[in-house]
Amino acid sequence: MKAHEAALCADEGIEVKFADAADPPGHCIKTSPPVPGDAFASVTIEPPTMATACRASEQFTPPPLGGAFARACPWTGEYRTGFDGLVCIAPEHDGSCRPGFSARFEFQEKIRDARTCTPCECGEPVGGICVADVLLFSDTTCSDMLISINGIGMEEEICYGAPADSPLAGVRVVFARDEPGTCSPTTTVSLVDGTIESGEARTFCCSSAEIIYGNVDN
């Protein structure tokens, strides 16, 4: 938007700056600073434009880890009923598993999950229609309307006259038609990238469920 001192937008005009963005559409936007009445005889409204790029949807997170997991807990000196898992102990000094704990498992301590998902990407937007209604006000609260300019399409900029000796201090922009274009994905699959950084290997000698419950009965 440009404000002109001359009628019919006959001069180059000055760019009208806004103190904040129109979010959400339709709320009052203050000009920064206000355009005084003696410098505001006409206004040029540029056509609305479509976004030049599409933003991909929210990025994905890597799938949860699967497999067998172990948790080392202090030994309490007794087996407990209702335990959904195997009871495990450390191997002997020579690495062997003592009788009754012959199920041998090796785990690695997880230090950091460094996996990420590769981002999705979109092509340029195609199509779409945008038609805006622009309301100009002489005050920063958008109470005293000067001009209502309706049906501004995407074709070309338009010049409008302004009431004599009226400042420009506030603007409202409302979409009469807001039909976004469509974007085709250029990257159709998100892949898992990166690794799980593992630490020291730990060996556990585990009993079977039958042995556990057999000891409980005894």
Side-chain angles (χ1 to χ4, degrees):
M1 181 184 299
K2 288 183 179 180
H4 302 267
E5 290 187 61
L8 302 177
C9 308
D11 58 3
E12 291 186 2
I14 59 172
E15 195 77 25
V16 177
K17 298 181 180 180
F18 301 108
D20 49 12
D23 187 18
H27 90 305
C28 185
I29 315 169
K30 300 176 184 178
T31 59
S32 178
V35 181
D38 58 1
F40 184 44
S42 56
V43 62
T44 298
I45 306 291
E46 295 184 359
T49 58
M50 303 297 292
T52 57
C54 288
R55 184 172 60 183
S57 58
E58 183 179 354
Q59 299 301 316
F60 298 102
T61 56
L65 299 175
F69 295 86
R71 175 178 294 176
C73 304
W75 171 242
T76 62
E78 61 180 4
Y79 293 111
R80 296 182 181 274
T81 58
F83 176 72
D84 186 17
L86 302 180
V87 173
C88 305
I89 61 175
E92 302 296 310
H93 293 297
D94 62 359
S96 63
C97 290
R98 68 177 62 179
F101 293 88
S102 57
R104 186 184 185 91
F105 296 93
E106 186 173 286
F107 299 90
Q108 285 185 298
E109 292 182 281
K110 188 183 76 171
I111 295 179
R112 188 170 73 93
D113 188 350
R115 299 174 304 158
T116 59
C117 289
T118 57
C120 300
E121 297 180 355
C122 302
E124 295 182 358
V126 177
I129 299 174
C130 183
V131 179
D133 297 336
V134 178
L135 288 68
L136 306 182
F137 299 84
S138 63
D139 62 315
T140 58
T141 61
C142 297
S143 299
D144 185 11
M145 189 169 66
L146 300 173
I147 315 170
S148 176
I149 308 170
N150 300 321
I152 302 174
M154 302 170 60
E155 294 78 21
E156 58 185 11
E157 64 180 26
I158 304 173
C159 176
Y160 286 87
D165 301 321
S166 296
L168 174 60
V171 179
R172 290 186 190 272
V173 179
V174 180
F175 289 119
R177 293 185 66 182
D178 182 14
E179 301 174 13
T182 58
C183 297
S184 299
T186 56
T187 304
T188 57
V189 178
S190 178
L191 304 176
V192 177
D193 188 24
T195 59
I196 300 171
E197 298 180 11
S198 300
E200 180 184 357
R202 300 280 299 274
T203 300
F204 292 93
C205 297
C206 302
S207 63
S208 67
E210 291 78 7
I211 294 175
I212 294 174
Y213 295 121
N215 283 330
V216 169
D217 294 338
N218 292 334

